[in-house]
Amino acid sequence: MLRSLREALETLRRHVQVLEVVAEHQPIGIGRISDVTGMEWHKVRYSLRVLEEGGIIRPSKKGAVLTEDAPARISEISRRLSELNRELEDISKRYQSLARKLEEG
């Protein structure tokens, strides 16, 4: 049940790692991102595609660069992740409460 959530979190972690490298080294290509992060090329390529589809980066002749909209889009993602975090904390508390009730009998 939690495996798909864990996989989604790992994917998000990779996306933000790629985004951090692009922001720091732009313009930057797949090979260099792979070298900096230690990620396999296909994972870097996938993250770049997702970030491009999200309007956060764009390709250039010299490699990936941030878009003009990147700051606003990143802030929106951050806000949404904070909302999700609050929801996960609530769900976790409910599971903890249920586990205590069941242990008590």
Side-chain angles (χ1 to χ4, degrees), residues 19 24-25 40 43 48 51 59 64 66-68 70 91:
L19 181 56
E24 185 175 334
H25 300 283
E40 298 172 13
K43 290 182 179 184
L48 289 172
L51 293 167
L66 297 178
T67 64
E68 290 180 11
I91 291 168

Side-chain angles (χ1 to χ4, degrees), residues 9-53:
L9 289 172
E10 288 300 321
T11 300
L12 282 172
R13 185 174 284 117
R14 282 198 321 265
H15 295 339
V16 75
Q17 186 178 9
V18 168
L19 181 56
E20 289 169 337
V21 171
V22 171
E24 185 175 334
H25 300 283
Q26 63 181 327
I28 187 169
I30 293 172
R32 178 81 173 112
I33 295 170
S34 179
D35 290 344
V36 170
T37 62
M39 278 185 225
E40 298 172 13
W41 279 46
H42 71 278
K43 290 182 179 184
V44 171
R45 190 178 305 115
Y46 175 71
S47 290
L48 289 172
R49 186 172 66 236
V50 169
L51 293 167
E52 183 179 354
E53 289 171 357

Side-chain angles (χ1 to χ4, degrees), residues 79-95:
R79 185 187 65 74
R80 289 183 180 181
L81 285 171
S82 291
E83 289 173 2
L84 287 171
N85 188 48
R86 286 190 292 275
E87 290 180 39
L88 284 171
E89 287 175 356
D90 178 60
I91 291 168
S92 177
K93 288 176 185 176
R94 292 174 68 185
Y95 269 101

